[in-house]
Amino acid sequence: MKLVRKGIVGLILLAVTLFIVLQLYYLLQIVLWSRFDPTSTSFMREQLSVLQEKNPKAKLQFEWVPYERISNHLKRAVIAAEDASFIEHDGIDWEALQDAYQKNLKKGHVVRGGSTITQQLAKNLFLSGERSYYRKGQEAIIAYMLEMVLDKRRILELYLNVAEWGHGVFGAQAAAHHYYGQTAAGLSMGQSARLAAMLPQPRYYDVHRDSSYLNNRAARIQGWMNSITLPAK
C-alpha cells in the first residue's frame, strides 16, 4: 500500500513539475516576443498541416508588418468587434465572460465566447483550436503572462499580425492583399469594419463574402469605431 501511495505521489509531483516547466517555456517565449517578431504560431502551423493534407505544396499567406504600418481604422475596428474593454482589463474581461455565459444559457448553445484579444492571442500563439476546460485554463494563464510582460500596444500588434482571416490567410497585411489588393496601412474604415466582422469565422466568410449577416455586422462595427481609444503604449 505504501508503494502504491508513493507511486501516486511521485506521479503527481512529476505532473506538477512538467506543468511548471511548460509555463516557464511559455513565459520565456513571451519575453523573447517582447523584442522579436514571431515567424509562425502554433495555430498557423496547425492550419498549414490541414491545408497540406489536401495540397502538399500549400503555403500560408502571411507577412509581418509593424504596428505603424497597420491602419488605425483596423485597430479600432478589431477592438470594437472583439474586445471593447481591451485597454482596461488585465487579460480577462470577467464581465464579458458572465454576459457571454448568460446569453449562451438563454440560447441553449454557444453563441458568444467572451474571450479578450489577449486570450485569443494566447490561443493563436501556443495552443490548438480544440475546445476543452484544460485549454481554456491554460489560455487564461498565458493571457495573464502576456499582460504582465507586454504592453497593450505590443499585444495588439501581435494579434493583428497572427489573427486568421481566411483559408491560410494570417495577419492584417495578408488579409488586406487577399480581400482588397492593398496594404494593411491603406485599409479604409469600411474595409476595416468588414475584416473585423469576419474574425469569428474567417474561413466561412472567405467563401461567403456576400453574407447579409456579415454586411450588417460590419455596419454595426463601423458605427462603434469612433468611440474606441487606441492604446498609447
Side-chain angles (χ1 to χ4, degrees), residues 43 78 81-83 91 113-127 135-136 139 143 146 155 159 162-164 199-200:
F43 192 71
V78 168
E82 297 290 287
D83 187 1
S115 292
T116 64
I117 284 174
T118 312
Q119 286 176 276
Q120 293 177 56
L121 176 60
K123 181 191 75 172
N124 290 347
L125 287 173
F126 295 111
L127 308 173
R135 199 218 75 189
K136 290 300 290 184
E139 179 185 288
L146 287 165
I155 289 171
Y159 179 74
V162 304
E164 184 184 28
L199 282 169

Side-chain angles (χ1 to χ4, degrees), residues 147-159:
E147 293 276 347
M148 179 179 67
V149 175
L150 309 176
D151 59 38
K152 292 287 187 178
R153 178 172 159 147
R154 180 57 172 169
I155 289 171
L156 184 58
E157 179 183 36
L158 285 164
Y159 179 74

Side-chain angles (χ1 to χ4, degrees), residues 70-165:
I70 300 174
S71 168
N72 283 343
H73 291 312
L74 184 63
K75 295 166 191 170
R76 289 192 175 92
V78 168
I79 293 173
E82 297 290 287
D83 187 1
S85 301
F86 175 64
I87 292 178
E88 286 80 31
H89 65 65
D90 58 358
I92 297 175
D93 187 340
W94 295 104
E95 287 186 15
L97 280 176
Q98 179 64 23
D99 185 45
Y101 173 76
Q102 293 297 335
K103 287 185 177 180
N104 295 338
L105 195 64
K106 187 176 180 180
K107 293 288 185 179
H109 60 93
V110 177
V111 294
R112 187 173 171 187
S115 292
T116 64
I117 284 174
T118 312
Q119 286 176 276
Q120 293 177 56
L121 176 60
K123 181 191 75 172
N124 290 347
L125 287 173
F126 295 111
L127 308 173
S128 70
E130 71 163 338
R131 296 190 177 190
S132 68
Y133 288 116
Y134 173 80
R135 199 218 75 189
K136 290 300 290 184
Q138 182 63 83
E139 179 185 288
I141 293 171
I142 296 171
Y144 280 124
M145 290 182 190
L146 287 165
E147 293 276 347
M148 179 179 67
V149 175
L150 309 176
D151 59 38
K152 292 287 187 178
R153 178 172 159 147
R154 180 57 172 169
I155 289 171
L156 184 58
E157 179 183 36
L158 285 164
Y159 179 74
L160 290 171
N161 271 288
V162 304
E164 184 184 28
W165 254 297

Side-chain angles (χ1 to χ4, degrees), residues 6-218:
K6 282 184 178 180
I8 293 172
V9 171
L11 288 173
I12 292 171
L13 288 174
L14 178 60
V16 170
T17 301
L18 291 174
F19 179 78
I20 291 171
V21 169
L22 182 61
Q23 306 317 304
L24 290 173
Y25 165 76
Y26 290 149
L27 183 59
L28 177 60
Q29 287 287 97
I30 292 167
V31 171
L32 287 173
W33 287 336
S34 68
R35 305 261 328 253
F36 303 99
D37 303 325
T39 56
S40 69
T41 68
S42 175
F43 192 71
M44 288 168 67
R45 291 188 291 272
E46 180 184 276
Q47 290 307 305
L48 179 59
S49 178
V50 171
L51 291 173
Q52 289 182 337
E53 287 178 6
K54 295 181 179 179
N55 176 14
K57 295 183 179 180
K59 294 182 179 179
L60 299 181
Q61 297 177 55
F62 169 71
E63 180 186 346
W64 182 277
V65 284
Y67 188 84
E68 296 78 12
R69 287 171 51 199
I70 300 174
S71 168
N72 283 343
H73 291 312
L74 184 63
K75 295 166 191 170
R76 289 192 175 92
V78 168
I79 293 173
E82 297 290 287
D83 187 1
S85 301
F86 175 64
I87 292 178
E88 286 80 31
H89 65 65
D90 58 358
I92 297 175
D93 187 340
W94 295 104
E95 287 186 15
L97 280 176
Q98 179 64 23
D99 185 45
Y101 173 76
Q102 293 297 335
K103 287 185 177 180
N104 295 338
L105 195 64
K106 187 176 180 180
K107 293 288 185 179
H109 60 93
V110 177
V111 294
R112 187 173 171 187
S115 292
T116 64
I117 284 174
T118 312
Q119 286 176 276
Q120 293 177 56
L121 176 60
K123 181 191 75 172
N124 290 347
L125 287 173
F126 295 111
L127 308 173
S128 70
E130 71 163 338
R131 296 190 177 190
S132 68
Y133 288 116
Y134 173 80
R135 199 218 75 189
K136 290 300 290 184
Q138 182 63 83
E139 179 185 288
I141 293 171
I142 296 171
Y144 280 124
M145 290 182 190
L146 287 165
E147 293 276 347
M148 179 179 67
V149 175
L150 309 176
D151 59 38
K152 292 287 187 178
R153 178 172 159 147
R154 180 57 172 169
I155 289 171
L156 184 58
E157 179 183 36
L158 285 164
Y159 179 74
L160 290 171
N161 271 288
V162 304
E164 184 184 28
W165 254 297
H167 289 278
V169 181
F170 286 87
Q173 184 81 334
H177 283 307
H178 185 68
Y179 294 104
Y180 300 112
Q182 64 168 307
T183 65
L187 289 168
S188 70
M189 195 173 187
Q191 291 168 340
S192 297
R194 194 169 183 82
L195 286 176
M198 296 176 69
L199 282 169
Q201 299 183 75
R203 278 168 266 161
Y204 176 83
Y205 291 123
D206 192 356
V207 177
H208 302 88
R209 300 186 189 186
D210 295 325
S211 160
S212 59
Y213 176 82
L214 181 63
N215 294 333
N216 293 335
R217 173 74 172 161

